Amino acid sequence: MDAILDVLIKYYLPILVTIISIVTLYKGWVFPSDRFFDQRVKISKFVHDLYKISGEKYLKDLSVEYGYSALTRESFLTTEQRRALLSSVDPMSDLESFRKCGSLITINPFPFGFMWVAKRHNYKSYRLFVKFMMLNFYFSGAFLLMLPLTYPVSVPDSIFIKYTNYNPAVQVGVCVFIIVYGAICAGYGLNGLSRIAIAEKLKNKYSH
C-alpha cells in the first residue's frame, strides 16, 4: 500500500496538477455559457456603437438580435422564437431551463410552447427507454467509482490476485482509469436524466 502511495505521489500527482493547470488556464474558470454571453454582449455593444455612427437601421436591429442571443445563450433560434421565450409568463425560469435542455426541445412562438426536436421523443415509451439507459450509465459509473475501494469483495479472487501481482505503477494506473471512466459514465447518465426531465417539465408547462 505504501509503495502504491509513493508511486501516486511521485508520478501521478504532478501529472494531475499539470492537467488541472492547463485546463484552468484554457477555461479561465469561466463557464462556456458565460463566455458566450460576454461575447454576444460585446458584439451587441459594438454593433450598436456602429449604428450610432452610421445611422443605418439594420445595424440597430442586428444589435438587438445579438442582445437577444446573449440572453438566451444560443445561436440557433429565430428572432420570433427568442422574443417568445423572453416574453413568456416566467422568463427567468424558462430561460434557465431552456439553456439546459435546448438540444432536445425547440420553441413554437404562436401559440407559445415547446416541441420536441426529434419526433421520437413524442413517444413516452421512447423517453422511458432513454431514462432507463441513462440510469444504467449512472449506476454503472457509480459502481466503477466505488470499485477501487471494494476490490477484495467486488471482483473474483482470481482477478484480484492477478491485479495485486502488477507493479504499483500499473495498479495506480488501473485505479485512475477506472475512476475517471466511472466518473464520465455517471456524469453522462446524470446529465442525460436531468436534461430530459427538464425538457418534459418545460414542455408540459405550456401544453395547450
Side-chain angles (χ1 to χ4, degrees), residues 27-46 66-67 69-71 73:
K27 294 293 185 180
W29 289 111
V30 179
F31 291 107
S33 61
D34 292 333
R35 290 205 308 274
F36 182 89
F37 175 81
D38 292 339
Q39 290 170 356
R40 294 289 167 164
V41 168
K42 289 178 182 177
I43 295 173
S44 179
K45 289 180 179 177
F46 173 77
Y66 271 109
S69 178
L71 289 172
R73 286 175 165 80

Side-chain angles (χ1 to χ4, degrees), residues 118-132:
K119 291 183 178 180
R120 58 181 177 270
H121 281 102
N122 285 314
Y123 300 100
K124 187 176 181 180
S125 57
Y126 177 79
R127 298 199 303 274
L128 287 173
F129 170 74
V130 171
K131 291 177 183 177
F132 174 75

Side-chain angles (χ1 to χ4, degrees), residues 1-10 168 172:
M1 186 66 183
D2 291 338
I4 294 177
L5 287 175
D6 289 341
V7 172
L8 181 61
I9 294 171
K10 185 176 180 180
V172 173

